[in-house]
Amino acid sequence: MDAARSSPDQGCFFVTGTVCEVIVDLHVPDVDRVFHYTVPPELEGRVRLGHRVLVPFGHRPRVEGYIIGFGPAGVPRDRLKSILALLDEEPLLTPAQIEVARWMRDRYVCPLVQALQCFLPPGSRLRSGRTARALRQKVARLADPPAAGAAREALARRAPKQAAIIQVLLENEAPLPSAELLRRAQAPRSALHAVVQKGIVIEEEQTARRDPFHGRPAPHARRPHALTEDQQRALSRIREALRGGEPRRVLLQGVTGSGKTEVYLQAMAEALAQGRGAILLIPEIALTPQTVAYFRAHFRERVAVLHSRLSLGERYDQWWRIFEGELPVVIGARSAVFAPVKKLGLIILDEEHETSYKQEESPRYHARDVAWARAQREGAVLIMGSATPAVEVRWAAEAGEALWLSLPRRVHRRPLPRVETVDLRGELLAGNRSMFSRTLSEKLEAALDRGEQAVLFMNRRGMASFLLCRECGYVPRCTQCEVSLTLHDPGILRCHYCDAAHRLPEACPQCGGPYLRPFGGGTQRIEQEVKRLFPKARPVRMDVDTTARKGAHERIVEAFAAGRFNVLVGTQMVAKGLHFPGVTLVGVVSADTALNLPDFRAAERTFQLLSQVAGRAGRGERAGEVVIQTYAPDHYAIRAAAAHDYEGFYRAELAYRRRTGYPPFSTLVRLVWSGEGEEEVVRAAQAAGAAAAGDLRSLGVEALGPSPAPLSRLQGRYRWHLILKGEGEPAIEAARRIKEAHEATGSSGVRLTVDVDPVGML
Ligand code: ADP
Ligand code: ZN
């Protein structure tokens, strides 16, 4: 590593006589490496690390590139081509960001250029179809305000329109956009032209910023809460970490309603007081106007927002204002982890266990890990907040790698809701064939009678259908991988990790009963059943189908909050961050869909989801109640969720992970082959698996599969996957070699994607 890239202080590294290491923006496999260029005399002394440049490349006269270092070329200088131009005055990439991009390339097996581009303004790439541009507009101001009064008098009779323009400008301290000025003065363009000619008014170009707040001022600040003792204790440890100036990871584990948000806010205030910037990451779905308003009320006009609902132009302008240091506080979804905040002091991940922090297209990064990679290189503190920390994060805290702070109580000591688990195995025996147990039916009816609201929740991610015995709750699982088997071909049960196949048993192996059935049923059916069985119910449904249209999600939330509906039926969408004081009953129609996904994290997801859903009840004055329906009432994830017992869950889950060797006791890498022809996909996957066998053995990496992916056909493409399990570096190295071999063969319409630390296994 040379000095130019290892030290952040070397950002203004001036070069003479050296050559530049350039990464070019072409997404072709063998172009993903450094190319060398010389600096032409006219750019001598101006080219710096992190600059965007234009370079000639192969037959292409101009290609965008990024300077990631300086050094010897290894070939004579006169054989090298020269940089054509600098694209910006200032380098857009800092040395630390280039380092993080290198880390991403190594960790996620992605092209370096893709990682670098995460740090650049959105949509600004030359080759991109939709190119965002700065909006330039003309603005007008008075050349000499004290003298303008007299000028207006002189013109009042002869040229009233010109006088009107001067009058409007006199009433306005700041320059006005010309169009706005003409509208207010009710004057034609020619009148403005005339006063400009006379030297009374100056018109000039200015870059206009598109504003995601549309000019709405920040809401008024409420008085800050006096912190509880728990909050105070956590905050002072965070302050210490910030003052230390060293990179630090913090797990803030606080039950729902314990006031984590207030701690975030005050931690950000501390970073700002030190003259540093802060990034707050929130799961996309929780990034509501109310959340943003809460922080704007405190940090006023210094807040930037970045999320996918902004227009490209708005995101582009926010990016530049952050880059220029105007907006030191950034609130955003996953990709805001790359925001060009100056002197970054603090990154916060709220609900750090959320799956939406993982990007499901290349580069397949996890925002939590990128945040830590950044914090380490920029001397920042990373706070990971959650009521139900990811097992990996909690494990890191236990191992001393992260500072562990907890908020064990709710603010105001509001009680957590009472949770009752209903064993569905008893319902069939009692002659109840409906989706609602007798307990849930009674409680729902009572709540509706009292004029209260209810949420009915169903996880519908389980598109792969697993089998479940309706009498004893037995679910067939793979003896080797311990994930549920899936009904694949008629009569055949398959493991989607190792591809083991089993004949479908005629009767349940556990109880001998005849009711071993595929498990299903979606939100739509629940809605119909609610209408049929409960005359007082006015149900509304929230799932991917009803929220596809822009703004639909918000409309459903508002209508339900306003009381126009009294039952909200939904998928995991309803579990996240919603606050409905009128809800006194939450019913989990089936906890089993999540529990039986063919994924080693199924139990963890179930626990997190149930805890979160339970947190929706009793947010108001009246106490809340939760009913969980399940065929597996004794499963540790369900027992622990019902008892609000994270510790109990974590201990049991950690034992399972240790026994099976899943993360955090290993690193997983998932390779997915996909294509339109089934045969080619199967052949590519099997050939790669066979070819890699020797490599895997020598690296000490275990391979599960290849096997059909649980979603074995997606958007017309067949999918097979192979799961590598081993120590971090070797498992990633094995994946890299398989990918390189795949690219070397220039494969026939089969695509291979590498997913390191996958969060979804479907
Ligand atoms: P969490 O994010 O931990 O679930 P919140 O930050 O949403 O919890 O806080 C829950 C509620 O408690 C919010 O309405 C918040 O305004 C309020 N709150 C937070 N801290 C305090 C405090 N110190 N005193 C009074 N109310 C508080
Ligand atoms: Zn298996």
Side-chain angles (χ1 to χ4, degrees):
M1 208 188 294
D2 63 17
R5 62 170 106 105
S6 63
S7 156
D9 298 324
Q10 299 284 314
C12 25
F13 186 95
F14 290 90
V15 275
T16 29
T18 42
V19 299
C20 306
E21 297 171 352
V22 175
I23 294 289
V24 293
D25 180 15
L26 289 174
H27 293 226
V28 192
D30 39 331
V31 167
D32 186 39
R33 59 184 180 82
V34 159
F35 292 93
H36 294 96
Y37 290 87
T38 55
V39 178
E42 69 273 17
L43 294 180
E44 199 71 46
R46 285 178 53 204
V47 179
R48 289 154 63 187
L49 189 63
H51 254 129
R52 287 196 303 176
V53 292
L54 283 181
V55 293
F57 189 83
H59 301 297
R60 296 170 214 251
R62 294 146 60 88
V63 173
E64 186 170 327
Y66 314 107
I67 298 189
I68 63 154
F70 303 102
V75 291
R77 287 177 61 87
D78 52 13
R79 298 254 302 275
L80 295 176
K81 293 180 184 165
S82 220
I83 287 171
L84 298 172
L86 293 182
L87 284 171
D88 315 277
E89 277 300 306
E90 290 283 307
L92 297 192
L93 297 163
T94 65
Q97 289 167 351
I98 294 172
E99 276 302 300
V100 173
R102 286 181 207 272
W103 172 86
M104 286 172 69
R105 174 197 56 193
D106 296 341
R107 179 81 200 177
Y108 301 119
V109 195
C110 68
L112 181 55
V113 66
Q114 264 183 8
L116 289 168
Q117 280 165 347
C118 292
F119 287 101
L120 293 173
S124 65
R125 287 168 48 211
L126 289 184
R127 296 188 318 119
S128 117
R130 295 188 308 159
T131 300
R133 287 189 190 292
L135 267 189
R136 301 202 60 90
Q137 65 173 355
K138 290 203 159 151
V139 296
R141 62 183 168 86
L142 293 169
D144 180 7
R152 185 201 49 199
E153 294 293 305
L155 288 168
R157 280 287 219 28
R158 251 181 325 114
K161 296 289 180 190
Q162 295 177 31
I165 287 174
I166 298 169
Q167 179 60 33
V168 170
L169 287 173
L170 275 169
E171 288 162 7
N172 238 301
E173 274 172 41
L176 268 181
S178 303
E180 170 77 14
L181 170 64
L182 294 176
R183 200 173 49 73
R184 285 206 216 167
Q186 304 203 336
R189 177 100 227 154
S190 58
L192 177 57
H193 189 69
V195 284
V196 170
Q197 286 292 305
K198 292 182 178 118
I200 305 167
V201 171
I202 292 173
E203 201 182 19
E204 57 204 352
E205 285 245 315
Q206 196 189 59
T207 307
R209 297 297 195 201
R210 280 151 292 201
D211 172 14
F213 304 115
H214 307 291
R216 281 191 308 273
H220 278 290
R222 25 159 213 95
R223 279 220 324 278
H225 290 298
L227 294 186
T228 63
E229 248 173 65
D230 291 336
Q231 287 172 320
Q232 193 59 59
R233 193 165 18 83
L235 183 66
S236 61
R237 299 297 300 278
I238 292 167
R239 282 212 177 107
E240 267 168 43
L242 278 166
R243 287 176 190 155
E246 293 289 315
R248 206 66 213 274
R249 255 192 304 182
V250 179
L251 165 59
L252 182 62
Q253 182 173 354
V255 297
T256 51
S258 59
K260 293 185 287 294
T261 315
E262 201 64 27
V263 176
Y264 301 154
L265 188 137
Q266 309 238 4
M268 289 164 101
E270 171 72 27
L272 257 59
Q274 295 180 0
R276 299 203 279 172
I279 299 174
L280 170 64
L281 300 179
I282 296 180
E284 181 85 40
I285 197 139
L287 193 53
T288 60
Q290 297 93 295
T291 314
V292 175
Y294 188 79
F295 287 90
R296 274 191 97 205
H298 196 275
F299 297 111
R300 316 298 304 164
E301 313 297 338
R302 288 176 293 175
V303 177
V305 291
L306 289 172
H307 56 76
S308 63
R309 294 187 301 279
L310 298 184
S311 72
L312 188 58
E314 284 169 339
R315 275 184 283 150
Y316 180 85
D317 292 348
Q318 289 280 290
W319 191 97
W320 279 103
R321 293 184 64 190
I322 300 165
F323 179 80
E324 276 152 19
E326 259 178 72
L327 305 174
V329 175
V330 176
I331 302 179
R334 178 178 66 226
S335 64
V337 74
F338 299 106
V341 174
K342 294 268 128 106
K343 287 198 268 173
L344 184 62
L346 180 65
I347 308 179
I348 300 167
L349 254 89
D350 185 31
E351 310 285 357
E352 59 77 22
H353 62 275
E354 278 293 325
T355 53
S356 66
Y357 285 125
K358 178 75 195 293
Q359 167 138 309
E360 294 294 4
E361 58 190 63
S362 187
R364 292 183 156 70
Y365 66 87
H366 198 297
R368 189 206 289 137
D369 299 323
V370 173
W372 180 228
R374 252 196 106 166
Q376 282 175 292
R377 287 160 183 83
E378 300 183 42
V381 171
L382 167 63
I383 301 176
M384 302 173 283
S386 176
T388 54
V391 170
E392 290 93 327
V393 171
R394 176 53 195 274
W395 175 244
E398 222 167 300
E401 291 165 24
L403 179 63
W404 180 21
L405 305 174
S406 76
L407 301 175
R409 284 167 288 259
R410 281 188 157 183
V411 172
H412 305 312
R413 307 277 156 117
R414 265 198 206 117
L416 288 160
R418 224 171 62 81
V419 181
E420 187 168 337
T421 307
V422 175
D423 185 346
L424 285 178
R425 292 173 300 188
E427 295 297 312
L428 186 64
L429 293 177
N432 176 11
R433 289 178 169 271
S434 104
M435 322 172 71
F436 306 111
S437 62
R438 290 156 295 172
T439 308
L440 182 55
S441 296
E442 280 160 26
K443 289 190 189 296
L444 181 56
E445 202 147 337
L448 297 179
D449 279 342
R450 291 193 303 266
E452 296 166 1
Q453 289 181 306
V455 170
L456 295 179
F457 171 80
M458 171 79 154
N459 179 296
R460 220 192 45 167
R461 275 271 236 2
M463 284 199 256
S465 56
F466 61 92
L467 291 196
L468 183 137
C469 172
R470 295 299 205 104
E471 274 180 44
C472 75
Y474 173 79
V475 174
R477 285 173 185 277
C478 176
T479 44
Q480 192 188 332
C481 310
E482 299 209 13
V483 298
S484 62
L485 296 171
T486 299
L487 194 60
H488 199 69
D489 310 308
I492 300 291
L493 287 174
R494 255 198 159 132
C495 170
H496 281 288
Y497 278 21
C498 75
D499 204 27
H502 305 263
R503 168 104 30 89
L504 175 65
E506 309 245 311
C508 171
Q510 186 166 288
C511 72
Y515 296 107
L516 197 59
R517 295 283 154 77
F519 195 81
T523 40
Q524 202 167 358
R525 239 191 85 206
I526 300 178
E527 189 188 15
Q528 289 164 356
E529 288 286 284
V530 167
K531 276 193 190 142
R532 193 170 66 82
L533 297 170
F534 305 95
K536 287 208 176 116
R538 281 166 283 127
V540 60
R541 180 157 60 96
M542 182 149 87
D543 56 25
V544 281
D545 301 329
T546 62
T547 56
R549 300 259 303 270
K550 198 174 167 174
H553 184 262
E554 289 79 2
R555 276 197 299 279
I556 296 172
V557 169
E558 270 164 35
F560 186 66
R564 271 186 280 135
F565 300 98
N566 55 6
V567 180
L568 177 63
V569 176
T571 54
Q572 48 267 42
M573 258 179 223
V574 306
K576 316 232 157 119
L578 300 182
H579 183 88
F580 299 116
V583 171
T584 55
L585 175 67
V586 173
V588 179
V589 180
S590 158
D592 303 276
T593 37
L595 197 56
N596 293 301
L597 284 182
D599 186 329
F600 75 93
R601 285 199 185 87
E604 182 177 18
R605 295 265 176 279
T606 303
F607 175 77
Q608 289 166 344
L609 218 51
L610 292 179
S611 305
Q612 216 157 23
V613 175
R616 296 305 104 209
R619 308 275 289 192
E621 291 305 311
R622 280 166 292 194
E625 239 185 322
V626 180
V627 175
I628 298 176
Q629 304 195 137
T630 177
Y631 285 92
D634 296 325
H635 191 285
Y636 61 87
I638 291 177
R639 279 180 170 235
H644 306 291
D645 178 17
Y646 177 86
E647 291 308 310
F649 163 76
Y650 171 70
R651 292 288 151 219
E653 181 68 11
L654 200 68
Y656 157 71
R657 302 283 181 94
R658 203 190 295 272
R659 180 161 50 78
T660 51
Y662 285 122
F665 301 104
S666 67
T667 294
L668 293 192
V669 184
R670 182 180 184 226
L671 297 147
V672 180
W673 288 265
S674 68
E676 283 165 17
E678 187 170 17
E679 250 175 65
E680 291 88 78
V681 171
V682 177
R683 210 177 310 127
Q686 288 178 340
D695 256 0
L696 294 173
R697 222 170 299 118
S698 67
L699 287 166
V701 174
E702 187 187 343
L704 305 176
S707 63
L711 297 176
S712 58
R713 227 175 145 202
L714 195 63
Q715 291 159 354
R717 300 175 72 85
Y718 291 91
R719 302 166 80 241
W720 271 58
H721 68 177
L722 174 69
I723 296 161
L724 303 178
K725 188 170 157 194
E727 295 272 319
E729 299 272 319
I732 293 166
E733 176 58 26
R736 184 178 297 114
R737 289 187 201 169
I738 294 175
K739 189 180 180 199
E740 279 165 8
H742 176 85
E743 277 160 3
T745 59
S747 203
S748 53
V750 177
R751 190 158 60 211
L752 171 60
T753 57
V754 176
D755 193 356
V756 179
D757 310 320
V759 300
M761 292 293 206
L762 302 179

